[in-house]
Amino acid sequence: MEKFTTLEGVAAPMRIINVDTDRIIPKQYLKTIKRTGLGKGLFSEMRYNDDGSEKPDFVLNKPAYRNAKILVVGDNFGCGSSREHAPWALADFGIRCVISTSFADIFFNNCGKNGILAIVVSPEDLEKLFQDAERGANATLSIDLAAQTIKGPDGGTLHFDIDPGRKHNLLNGLDEIGLTLERAPAIDAYEAKLAQREWA
């Protein structure tokens, strides 16, 4: 998993609440178990018309936000089904950070397991970030995970909280497999000790 240390990029605003995982990545894209190629299906029902043409009013189709790395979104983002394809699609599109006042628990955990930083902020701070993000091409945010800060385009800085374990894993690029491998020496020592007991 790619490490998350700092991120500077355009933030796209989505003032929509209760965006469920079915809207993030619709069911027709769930046939694959590959983590790549899903970016084209991200928000597809909101991004495309029935004929496959782009809806010009959708935020990620606007020129200023086509290369967004950050999403600023409404309450309860990622609710609905537990599909891990949702963070896969976000990551494949290029989104490395999602900021909201609240996330569905399973989606929130799946983000962390896939190198996406999901940040919870207060409603007041979210509104400030929406206003920053709505500045189009000037909507650049800088995120420092170690310092736990978000810096806006005018230099204003917000602080965010994060669980220490989640922070450690993201900073070091550790998914569940990586976390297990990090503890391999302790596991090996335990198994060796256990083997000695069995032969005693």
Side-chain angles (χ1 to χ4, degrees):
M1 184 170 86
E2 184 180 352
K3 293 180 181 181
F4 191 112
T5 53
T6 60
L7 176 67
E8 183 172 347
V10 169
M14 289 184 64
R15 286 184 179 267
I16 309 171
I17 63 170
N18 302 321
V19 174
D20 63 32
T21 52
D22 299 328
R23 294 183 80 183
I24 296 171
I25 185 73
K27 62 183 181 303
Q28 61 266 33
Y29 296 95
L30 304 186
K31 297 174 184 177
T32 181
I33 57 171
K34 294 180 180 179
R35 300 184 186 199
T36 56
L38 290 170
K40 65 183 179 185
L42 181 67
F43 300 119
S44 67
E45 293 175 354
M46 292 190 281
R47 278 171 71 193
Y48 306 113
N49 294 306
D50 291 340
D51 63 2
S53 61
E54 292 185 349
K55 295 180 179 179
D57 290 338
F58 183 68
V59 63
L60 295 179
N61 290 337
K62 295 179 179 180
Y65 300 110
R66 284 187 178 273
N67 297 311
K69 295 180 181 179
I70 302 163
L71 281 183
V72 181
V73 297
D75 302 341
N76 197 30
F77 189 79
C79 56
S81 66
S82 60
R83 63 187 65 171
E84 196 168 0
H85 290 68
W88 292 356
L90 287 165
D92 192 58
F93 182 87
I95 302 295
R96 293 294 316 280
C97 178
V98 185
I99 306 171
S100 181
T101 53
S102 61
F103 296 92
D105 288 343
I106 294 175
F107 174 81
F108 184 77
N109 289 326
N110 281 340
C111 280
K113 293 175 184 178
N114 288 281
I116 297 173
L117 176 60
I119 298 176
V120 177
V121 297
S122 69
E124 295 76 20
D125 284 347
L126 186 71
E127 181 56 34
K128 292 175 188 174
L129 293 168
F130 269 131
Q131 291 174 15
D132 284 339
E134 287 166 352
R135 295 169 63 168
N138 296 320
T140 300
L141 299 180
S142 299
I143 297 167
D144 186 325
L145 177 54
Q148 296 176 212
T149 57
I150 306 168
K151 186 176 288 186
D154 293 329
T157 301
L158 302 175
H159 182 272
F160 64 89
D161 294 321
I162 184 170
D163 173 79
R166 184 183 303 274
K167 179 178 179 178
H168 170 81
N169 293 347
L170 285 165
L171 283 171
N172 293 283
L174 298 172
D175 57 14
E176 290 174 328
I177 294 172
L179 194 58
T180 302
L181 292 174
E182 187 183 53
R183 296 171 180 167
I187 295 169
D188 291 342
Y190 173 80
E191 290 181 342
K193 189 175 181 180
L194 195 63
Q196 286 178 348
R197 286 182 188 172
E198 289 174 353
W199 287 102

